[in-house]
Structures are given as structure tokens and as C-alpha cells.
Amino acid sequence: MGKIAFVFSGQGAQYPGMGESLCQESAAARAVFEMADAIRPGTSEQCFHGTKEDLTSTQNTQPDMFAVELAAAAALEEAGVQPSCLAGFSLGEISALAFSGAVSREDGFSLVCRRGELMADAAAQVEAGMVAVVKLPPQKVEELCQGFEQVYPVNYNSPAQTVVSGRADQMEPFKAAVKAAGGRALPLAVKGGFHSPFMAPAAAGLREVLSAMEIGEPRFTLYSNVTGQPYQGEMKDLLARQVENPVRWQATVEHMIASGVDTFIEVGPGKTLCGLISKIDSGVKVLNVEDAESLAKTIEEVTATC
């Protein structure tokens, strides 16, 4: 067996009830939710019993997802499963940062709370949305975006999926252009045009927040969304730039595989990253941990192959 990577889910994978059985099953997971509730009262209640609408608001989604992701990773580590490297998709990168030990769990949670607020504020300044474009290569999506004034490729997810952010009044014409080119444009359950120039105010706010934070060396190799490569040296600038720049997910996964990773464990709600990774390289193993059942299954699979 080669190296194991933990990958942390991104916004849009949230769902009502997420994390509850993990909290019941694992003391380490429960400690994460207790930490989150101490800083932001009601976080676990929102995860376990909140409505879909509650969970879709960016200022709720990000801290709630962080708590579930960190709880899942903590439960795995409690069971003796250790990664060689980490990556997170968008907000998942902050969860990975905290799990890596480069910041404390408390500081990571406070950071993601503020990040969610800043991104929600930036999203409120312009009406925008996001769509996942499938069945077209990234180069074709870039070409289509160039035909619109404020439509941007923002998530390079796999060879056949690129997510686009755009001003609301340009999205219908853009989707028509995608259809004419032979692709499909699938709306995402997010409120804003993330990882685009629309998020410049959020990036500026994050720089201010990060300037006051202590960030140390991660205990595992940690990959950057902006570069698709491991962080080297100063991290604060890339963490701030992340919200207004594309997520280079395909490049991140390819570099992890090149480093010897052959098993990816998605920690957090859903299996979105598992699906993307399989499309990038069908030869690697993908597992996930989002609840007690998937935790037990993943521990069994990893133990059996060690």
C-alpha cells in the first residue's frame, strides 16, 4: 500500500443531519463538536437538526462543514489511521490546515467562521452564481468564459468538469453557450460567485485576519488550492488569495499521486471529492468518512490493506 491522503470536502456537500452519528460514535469527533459549540454556540445543533436552507447560508455552511470534516478526520486518527498528506477543497483547506496542526483547532474554527462571514458579505454585493460544466475540457470552458464580461472558470475539478462563477444576468446566456458547445451546465447549491474577482473584498478581509494569526509548520504535507502544490514557507498570502482565485483540484490530486499517494479518504459530508478523484485517475482507491457506518467501513478497508 502506498501513501494515504485525507481530503476535506468543499461547500455544497452539506446536508441536514451531517456529523450526528460520528459524534455519537467517536470521543474524538465529539470533542471537535464541543470545541465548535464553545466558540459558536449551536453549531452541532445546526449540523444535526438544521434545515437545508439553514445549511446553505455561507456563514453557516463553512463553520458547520469545518466541524464535521475535522470530526471525521479526528475519528480516523483516533482509530489509528494516519495520512501522509492533506488537501482541502476551498473551505476544506481551512479544515486541513487545522488538522495539520499549523493552527489550533480553535483558531482554525474562528478563521473559518470569519471567512464565511466575509464571503457572504462579498456575495451580497453582487448577484452571482456558480455552475458545474461537464462534458467539456477545461480549455473549451475557458474559451466560452472569454465571451462574457463577468464569467470566470473557478474550480478545475477533473478533465471533464470545470466550475464557473458568473454574474447572475450572464448565467443563462452562458449555459446556452455551454449547451451549444455540447456540454451541460449544472447549477450549484451556493449563494455567490466564489473563487472569482467577486470575492476580492473577502480576500482583503482575510489578509487582515491572517496577519494577526500564528501559523506554524504542518505535521503532514499540506497542499494549496491556488498552486496545486505543497505549501512552502509563508502560507498567509495563499490562504487569502484562495477565495478569489481558482481551485486547482485536478493538479492537486495529480501531484499527490505523483508523490506516491494511492489511497484518498474524503473526510466530511458526501462523496463529491471521491467522484472527482476517480475521474482524474481511476487507478487509485477512494474511501470516505462522513458518519459512523462509513467510518467503520474505511477503518476496516485501510486495516485490511496495511
Side-chain angles (χ1 to χ4, degrees):
M1 184 176 180
K3 297 178 180 178
I4 294 173
F6 286 5
V7 291
F8 294 73
S9 314
Q11 194 165 334
Q14 67 276 358
Y15 57 82
M18 62 183 186
E20 186 171 17
S21 65
L22 276 175
C23 184
Q24 295 167 345
E25 179 72 20
S26 162
R30 191 156 52 251
V32 172
F33 285 108
E34 289 170 353
M35 175 276 297
D37 283 335
I39 296 171
R40 180 180 179 267
T43 296
S44 59
E45 175 67 19
Q46 202 166 64
C47 291
F48 305 161
H49 305 296
T51 66
K52 183 177 180 180
E53 184 177 359
D54 289 337
L55 294 171
T56 303
S57 297
T58 298
Q59 61 267 38
N60 294 334
T61 310
Q62 298 205 14
D64 291 347
M65 289 280 290
F66 177 101
V68 178
E69 291 168 5
L70 201 60
L76 271 175
E77 189 169 40
E78 178 184 47
V81 180
Q82 288 271 11
S84 296
C85 55
L86 312 170
F89 193 103
S90 190
L91 82 87
E93 187 167 7
I94 311 301
S95 309
L97 180 76
F99 184 74
S100 79
V103 299
S104 69
R105 291 178 174 184
E106 292 79 5
D107 282 351
F109 187 72
S110 296
L111 175 61
V112 86
C113 288
R114 185 63 183 133
R115 183 181 185 271
E117 293 168 355
L118 288 165
M119 291 177 73
D121 289 346
Q125 294 179 30
V126 58
E127 192 175 352
M130 301 177 75
V131 297
V133 179
V134 297
K135 297 185 178 180
L136 292 178
Q139 297 82 356
K140 183 60 180 178
V141 177
E142 291 171 345
E143 180 186 321
L144 292 175
C145 288
Q146 289 170 5
F148 296 83
E149 185 181 353
Q150 289 186 297
V151 178
Y152 311 98
V154 295
N155 298 342
Y156 291 85
N157 287 347
S158 75
Q161 185 187 110
T162 306
V163 172
V164 167
S165 287
R167 207 175 66 201
D169 62 357
Q170 297 188 9
M171 294 308 278
E172 288 304 318
F174 175 75
K175 287 192 281 186
V178 169
K179 184 176 181 180
R184 293 180 63 201
L186 310 173
L188 300 188
V190 296
K191 296 181 178 180
F194 303 131
H195 296 289
S196 75
F198 301 131
M199 291 291 113
L206 271 177
R207 284 190 180 89
E208 186 176 340
V209 174
L210 287 161
S211 68
M213 286 188 66
E214 290 288 333
I215 298 183
E217 287 296 316
R219 60 195 177 113
F220 309 108
T221 301
L222 178 64
Y223 283 74
S224 164
N225 282 184
V226 176
T227 65
Q229 298 274 12
Y231 276 100
Q232 294 182 343
E234 179 57 48
M235 301 172 72
K236 293 180 180 180
D237 179 59
L238 286 175
L239 286 168
R241 286 172 55 197
Q242 188 234 52
V243 298
E244 62 177 342
N245 279 275
V247 174
R248 305 282 176 181
W249 188 249
Q250 181 179 341
T252 299
V253 171
E254 288 171 345
H255 287 135
M256 289 175 129
I257 293 170
S259 78
V261 172
D262 67 1
T263 301
F264 290 84
I265 304 177
E266 180 172 1
V267 288
K271 299 180 181 179
T272 300
L273 299 184
C274 288
L276 295 178
I277 292 165
S278 293
K279 290 176 182 175
I280 294 167
D281 189 330
S282 60
V284 297
K285 177 177 285 188
V286 291
L287 304 167
N288 82 300
V289 173
E290 61 180 324
D291 53 24
E293 182 181 357
S294 56
L295 173 65
K297 181 179 178 181
T298 293
I299 291 169
E300 182 180 356
E301 288 233 16
V302 171
T303 303
T305 53
C306 286

